[in-house]
Amino acid sequence: MTAELDTLSPPDRLKVRAEDYDRIVAALDFLSENWREQPDLAAAAQAAGLSPHHFQRVFTRWTGASPKKLVQALTHASARKLLVDGASVLDAALESGLSGPSRLHDIFIAEEAATPGEVKSGGSGLDFRYGYAPSPFGVAVFVIAPRGLSGLAFCSPGEEDDAFQDLARRFPQARYERDDALASDWAGRVFDAAAGEATVPLALYGAPFRRQVWRALLTIPSACTVSYGDIARAAGKAGAARATGAAVGANPISWLIPCHRVLAADGRLTGYHWGLDRKRAMLAYEAATG
């Protein structure tokens, strides 16, 4: 598995990946051509010329994901486009090779924590509460779902509505109810050093690649910085620096998902959605508080 590569030196790691290349290409070609048939592990392994057990290890070691996960991602991407283009949930499920809406529902929840119907309708049926509270970085704007925190933005006094609308346009048809008392409670949980980040449940809604990038951001230690290239590699998309930058910029939960810790390759502070002054303040705050 991936852990096996971590024990090797960089040259040996590259050698192993090179040896696996032809089998991976054959498997990827097969899965890309046949994902609508929802092929099982045995079929994909046969295409690569390996036993199922060996193929599972080689494929996961090389790509960082299982063959089943790749098929699921291809299915989700196809179904999502069909839904956005106007297809019904049933038609999107069947066109994507699934037995029906229930399977599509499971895939969408796994991939972006929203149901197919919620994606198709722009969030219609989703209920959020939002509110404003003071924070170390200006006014904090909270958007809270039943499952946890879905949005956290920052702004200066007088800019609250614009900051909220920036978060709300992700799901324009959802229902939003203002609750500043709840926002104040969440601010205490987020910014109280004694509480710690582990006590804050996150409810992330977004396309698979963006969620992968946001998960990579969560691995950056406090008071440390990385480059956009580092995040692209951590997300398994080393060649997708521009798409990674866009995903970092679209992070809906500032501070807790620490996109402020990402710098340009030359160490410059660039590209913070809520302002470079705020990004600089966040990094100084972390350095001072340890």
Side-chain angles (χ1 to χ4, degrees):
M1 297 287 186
T2 307
E4 297 173 354
L5 292 183
D6 292 341
T7 65
L8 301 176
S9 66
D12 287 341
R13 194 178 304 143
L14 290 174
K15 181 179 178 181
V16 170
R17 289 188 182 276
E19 291 171 348
D20 293 337
Y21 176 74
D22 289 337
R23 293 189 179 95
I24 295 299
V25 167
L28 291 174
D29 284 346
F30 173 80
L31 293 173
S32 297
E33 291 293 326
N34 297 279
W35 62 266
R36 280 188 174 84
E37 281 69 51
Q38 301 294 302
D40 60 15
L41 180 63
Q46 184 176 15
L50 297 171
S51 70
H53 177 71
H54 190 196
F55 171 68
Q56 175 87 0
R57 296 178 67 226
V58 168
F59 189 92
T60 304
R61 181 174 64 196
W62 201 93
T63 66
S66 68
K68 181 179 180 180
K69 180 65 175 175
L70 175 61
V71 170
Q72 177 175 293
L74 292 171
T75 303
H76 171 264
S78 171
R80 196 180 209 283
K81 184 176 187 307
L82 288 168
L83 290 170
V84 171
D85 288 346
S88 69
V89 174
L90 176 60
D91 287 344
L94 298 179
E95 182 67 22
S96 301
L98 301 173
S99 57
S102 62
R103 281 284 294 116
L104 189 64
H105 178 278
D106 292 344
I107 286 174
F108 267 72
I109 290 295
E111 290 291 324
E112 57 179 302
T115 70
E118 290 165 349
V119 170
K120 178 178 173 60
S121 65
S124 178
L126 285 174
D127 291 303
F128 295 104
R129 287 194 281 173
Y130 76 97
Y132 310 107
S135 83
F137 312 112
V139 180
V141 186
F142 289 85
V143 174
I144 302 120
R147 301 184 184 112
L149 183 64
S150 288
L152 173 56
F154 299 98
C155 64
S156 299
E159 300 173 347
E160 291 89 346
D161 187 63
D162 288 342
F164 165 67
Q165 293 299 333
D166 185 90
L167 292 174
R169 70 171 55 103
R170 300 162 192 265
F171 285 100
Q173 302 304 316
R175 290 184 292 269
Y176 295 90
E177 177 183 351
R178 183 165 174 176
D179 189 338
D180 289 340
L182 181 64
S184 180
D185 177 66
W186 276 84
R189 297 170 68 183
V190 169
F191 298 110
D192 182 355
E197 296 178 7
T199 65
V200 180
L202 305 182
L204 285 172
Y205 298 86
F209 176 69
R210 288 189 172 186
R211 285 163 54 82
Q212 196 168 348
V213 170
W214 299 338
R215 284 193 293 268
L217 292 173
L218 286 168
T219 67
I220 309 172
S222 179
C224 295
T225 59
V226 300
S227 70
Y228 289 94
D230 293 329
I231 290 298
R233 286 186 289 275
K237 300 288 184 180
R242 181 172 297 180
T244 299
V248 171
N251 168 31
I253 304 179
S254 302
W255 182 246
L256 290 180
I257 299 180
C259 53
H260 60 279
R261 296 174 190 163
V262 184
L263 308 181
D266 60 4
R268 290 180 296 114
L269 272 69
T270 58
Y272 191 61
H273 191 70
W274 307 109
L276 292 184
D277 288 345
R278 190 164 279 113
K279 182 172 186 172
R280 187 178 294 109
M282 287 179 171
L283 292 172
Y285 183 93
E286 288 185 329
T289 59

